[in-house]
Amino acid sequence: MVSITIDTQTLEVEAGSTVLQAAQRLGIDIPTFCYLKRLPALASCRMCLVEIEGLRRLQPSCATAVTDGMVVRTTTPLIEETRSSMLDMLLANHPLDCPICDKGGECELQNMVMAYGPRESGFRDEKRVFHSKDIRLSPVIIMNVNRCIQCQRCVRMCEEVVGAVALGTVEKGMDTAVTGFEGSLASCDQCGNCIEVCPVGALMSFPYRYKARPWDLVETDTVCPHCGTGCQLTVGTRKGEFMRVRSKWDQGLNRETLCVRGRFGLDFVSSRDRIKRPMIRRDGALVPVSWDEAGDYLRRRLSDVKSKAAGGLASPRLPNEVLYQFQKLMRTVFRTNNIDCSTRWSTPFDILGPLAASFYSRAPLEEMIGNDCVLIVGGNVTEENPVTEYLLRDGARRRHTALLMLSARPSRLDADARVVVRVSPGGEPASLAAVVTGLLAAADQTLQRDALADISAKIGRSAASTGNDRPDHLVEALNNGGSVSVLVSIELLRSPEARATLQQLNNLLRVLRLLGKNPAMQFLFDRANQMGAWDMGVLPAALPGLQAIHDDAARATLARSWGTEIPSESGAGLDAMLELCVSGEMGALYIAGADPLIAYPDRDFVTRALGAADLLIVQDTFLTDTAGLAEVVLPAAGYGEETGTFTNNEGRTQTVRKFREPAFEARGNLAIFDFVAALRNQALRPSIQGEIFAEITQLVPAYQGLTQAGLGADGAFTKAVPAIPAGEFFASPPAPKAADRLMLITGDCLFHNGYLSERSEILNTVADDPYVEMSAQDAAQLGLSDLDQVTVRSARGELTAKLKVNRRFPEGLVFIPENYRALRLNALMRRGEYPCPVDVRKAYATFAIPTVVDGDAKSNSLR
């Protein structure tokens, strides 16, 4: 520690701290323009100059390291004169159009001039003008380059944090201008982080432009509803109408950054596709009715199907309180454990439960990234969890964390990774087993030979190939690292090999623990509250708190609180529930917020199953494909229309706040559960959000000790659940079979997350049309070129979309994002088969040409 005195106040700070950081700790304000806390100091704006005893010249506080005994002054006449002169120079060419500038009222230059600027300018020349009109750089970003003060925040944010390198500068000196490539940002992420960090009105949000002034807005701090990163954001509304989203530099794990979905994708709340009133099916069509009529009809139908099985499916985008109450409704009112929270895969809880209990780290992602090595298994972080990618890049570049990638799809993060291993989809278990084998082979000096021999005998020796590479470099990096974090993409659960993948992850983490690497694991969820859905027990084999359904003590504790016994047999997941539907054994299937008809990987099967259920109840905000098949449709409040909590990938519980009233006749989800329970002559207690959260904190071990008031601005972390004995090591799986056809995989794309974001008009302006991604080698072999229209055909069906050739994409794979409803991608797939074998060919337009045969006009089709 070193001692520094600033404006007569003395403080001890860590060596290497800057004068600016020390001043901030003392609450002393030093103005800056170019400085950003998460970026290395640039010291170009010269606004933060201070006097330091013993030095002749003023020094930039953002880039000057503290030395022991340093004495600093921040408000001398020379400093004030210098700041005033710097601002006078900035204003010399800055247009004085504050009344029409979108930044007016929250402009840093305005604030600086009021606090430190001259009251009269010494410049009388005409102002420099780059362009007479604003430049539309992209569908969401518009620029007034005349207002730019050359702080370089936007350029550095784009390159060093986001990694897109879409912005840059041209010319030099007073003629320097920030712009995109050829005056466009068509190829950038459209995340808008450049807008957020711009201190003036040079970069602006086009969707928000001229809609409101900052003082007109009612701002609500809440949590992003898209992926599981759990970014905090601030929603601005005007007279109850959604206006914009911004982020705060000092809150949440994301600080001032958001991805395109978080910043521009919340206008889905105003989608016209709302369910306005309850509906029941009459003569094959859904007919709007009152809530009373819907209740009378539903009471009769629930009585009709009471003797058959019931099942429930809830969306992992719903708040914890709603999810907790849903599983409670199903277990106590419908008397069933047939409950699930995923429409895309089955969750192997018998492996997942012990894995999560033994290794899941409910800790800040920053701590995870602070370990020596971070191994990322599966998925594409860039497109599934963009802000997590920003933090990982920062760890690699500034903290020198060794990023290790093992995945089928390439991501932008590969460029910052120390080791990249490409594997074939479904080949992850064999690849992980090979890594474990390599670690054991290198551990002769670390582990006792008896222990080594015992482990090796149990798991076998794997000589599995990992696609284009062997994991030798991965083994070496893990061996050399002192501590290891493992981030696992939830996309791995799509594969029929998901169970084997989790087993081999368990092996890997146990071996790393034996080697003294202190391994920690977190999932990278692509749904906002998937962690919360698991914690709340929306699983067929798990109670709230990830307690096994056959745990008598756990069931007894819940039964005492709920006032009723809980079924002791494991329930059916979604796949098994659909089987019950097809076999005629499903009475009531209750779906809350989910859309399996568009997401389940076998559209034909799920269509037959939903049609065969005796009673299909859909509770949702929007008129989904699944709602179109329902017998009873109940309009529910959507995101931003009810208060609750989300639990993110880290295990951090945060408050999701209400910023608008439910539209039309929609009711809160909790109120609808009360409504349905009353139809069965039962009551759910408690039934309001705050009291339900209190019950969660009493009955769910990981949430004990939390309070709503204690969540604060940054949320609060749940606790690690008691460890479950890991049992035996799992045997190594066989090597994956080589595929002789192109194999189709799917997942999220950068601009969309599931199908909720497709209801955002803004995202639909920036998102490309549906596309088919493949390697340059495969495209050349098939005679295809970038942007060609191609047809992808499987044994089940076909679709047509434009081709996107990716030179870094592995051969033999085809990727189509799952986020486009019109494609009906799941119609190509068959349950239990992933990846899906397909053929790809060029799509040719069909023209009808009349042909005369025996005097009659016929029509032939030519391709």
Side-chain angles (χ1 to χ4, degrees), residues 344 494 599-605 744-747 794-799 814 816-818 824-838:
R344 298 170 292 166
R494 290 183 186 271
Y600 183 85
D602 192 328
R603 189 179 179 90
D604 178 63
F605 175 69
L744 169 65
I745 59 175
T746 187
S794 74
R796 288 297 185 92
E798 65 177 42
L799 58 81
V814 174
I816 302 176
E818 68 173 359
R824 295 189 172 183
L825 176 64
N826 61 338
L828 272 64
M829 298 179 175
R830 180 164 47 202
R831 57 197 288 246
E833 178 184 66
Y834 187 86
C836 172
V838 293

Side-chain angles (χ1 to χ4, degrees), residues 722-784:
I724 299 174
E728 295 290 317
F729 280 88
F730 298 99
S732 297
K737 297 179 181 179
D740 57 358
R741 296 179 62 186
L742 290 172
M743 304 301 286
L744 169 65
I745 59 175
T746 187
D748 294 307
C749 65
L750 180 64
F751 298 110
H752 284 302
N753 172 271
Y755 298 95
L756 184 67
S757 61
E758 204 181 8
R759 290 185 164 86
S760 162
E761 291 185 11
I762 300 174
L763 287 183
N764 289 334
T765 66
V766 300
D768 289 335
D769 293 330
Y771 62 88
V772 178
E773 188 173 14
M774 67 164 49
S775 70
Q777 296 87 339
D778 286 334
Q781 187 174 352
L782 294 170
L784 303 173

Side-chain angles (χ1 to χ4, degrees), residues 48 54 94 192 194 212 259 265 267 276 299 317 365 389-390 426 485 518 530 538 548 603 770 790 846:
C48 69
H94 195 84
C194 54
C259 75
D267 63 314
K276 298 179 180 179
R299 181 183 291 108
R317 295 187 192 275
L365 180 61
E389 186 218 40
Y390 304 164
S485 296
N518 299 317
Q530 184 70 66
V538 192
R603 189 179 179 90
V790 297
T846 302

Side-chain angles (χ1 to χ4, degrees), residues 405-673:
M405 314 289 290
L406 191 154
S407 63
R409 291 174 61 197
S411 77
R412 193 164 58 201
L413 204 58
D414 291 352
D416 291 285
R418 192 167 299 178
V419 179
V420 177
V421 177
R422 285 280 93 82
V423 298
S424 58
E428 292 89 359
S431 302
L432 290 168
V435 173
V436 172
T437 300
L439 288 171
L440 290 173
D444 289 337
Q445 304 302 317
T446 308
L447 295 177
Q448 295 180 2
R449 287 190 176 276
D450 290 345
L452 180 63
D454 182 53
I455 298 170
S456 299
K458 290 174 179 175
I459 70 172
R461 289 287 186 178
S462 173
S465 169
T466 57
N468 297 333
D469 201 353
R470 295 291 302 278
D472 301 339
H473 296 301
L474 195 55
V475 170
E476 182 182 358
L478 290 171
N479 252 328
N480 292 338
S483 54
V484 178
S485 296
V486 181
L487 301 179
V488 183
S489 171
I490 198 67
E491 289 293 316
L492 292 176
L493 294 187
R494 290 183 186 271
S495 172
E497 304 299 327
R499 179 180 298 276
T501 302
L502 295 178
Q503 289 174 339
Q504 296 309 314
L505 275 170
N506 196 314
N507 282 354
L508 173 62
L509 290 163
R510 291 183 66 189
V511 168
L512 289 171
R513 179 174 287 172
L514 287 171
L515 293 172
K517 305 294 183 182
N518 299 317
M521 182 198 75
Q522 287 182 1
F523 279 106
L524 297 175
F525 295 113
D526 65 344
R527 296 294 184 264
N529 201 28
Q530 184 70 66
M531 188 73 202
W534 287 359
D535 282 345
M536 297 303 108
V538 192
L539 290 167
L543 296 166
L546 291 175
Q547 302 170 100
I549 201 75
H550 55 72
D551 185 332
D552 294 337
R555 283 202 324 280
T557 299
L558 292 172
R560 283 194 299 271
S561 177
W562 296 350
T564 184
E565 293 298 315
I566 299 168
S568 58
E569 304 82 15
S570 291
L574 176 60
D575 193 72
M577 283 191 276
L578 295 176
E579 286 279 12
L580 290 174
C581 291
V582 171
S583 64
E585 300 174 67
M586 180 63 75
L589 181 60
Y590 193 162
I591 299 178
D595 190 6
L597 185 57
I598 200 70
Y600 183 85
D602 192 328
R603 189 179 179 90
D604 178 63
F605 175 69
V606 75
T607 302
R608 286 188 289 111
L610 295 179
D614 286 359
L615 172 62
L616 178 60
I617 307 166
V618 173
Q619 173 178 323
D620 212 322
T621 306
F622 302 104
L623 191 59
T624 63
D625 287 16
T626 300
L629 295 179
E631 185 175 345
V632 178
V633 177
L634 304 175
Y639 171 79
E641 295 175 352
E642 58 185 353
T643 296
T645 56
F646 282 170
T647 303
N648 75 344
N649 300 346
E650 307 168 298
R652 184 197 306 243
T653 299
Q654 303 175 96
T655 303
V656 184
R657 292 183 174 86
K658 178 178 178 178
F659 56 81
R660 53 178 275 150
E661 293 300 320
F664 305 105
E665 294 185 27
R667 292 183 179 180
N669 283 283
L670 297 174
I672 297 175
F673 295 154

Side-chain angles (χ1 to χ4, degrees), residues 65 78 93 280 476 499 613 666 737 767 802:
L78 176 59
N93 284 311
I280 61 175
E476 182 182 358
R499 179 180 298 276
K737 297 179 181 179
K802 72 176 180 181

Side-chain angles (χ1 to χ4, degrees), residues 697-712:
T697 63
Q698 293 173 4
L699 298 179
V700 180
Y703 291 69
Q704 288 177 359
L706 297 185
T707 63
Q708 285 206 296
L711 295 183

Side-chain angles (χ1 to χ4, degrees), residues 202-216:
L203 290 166
M204 298 165 288
S205 165
F206 186 78
Y208 171 67
R209 197 178 193 213
Y210 299 149
K211 280 191 174 180
R213 300 304 249 165
W215 51 84
D216 291 331

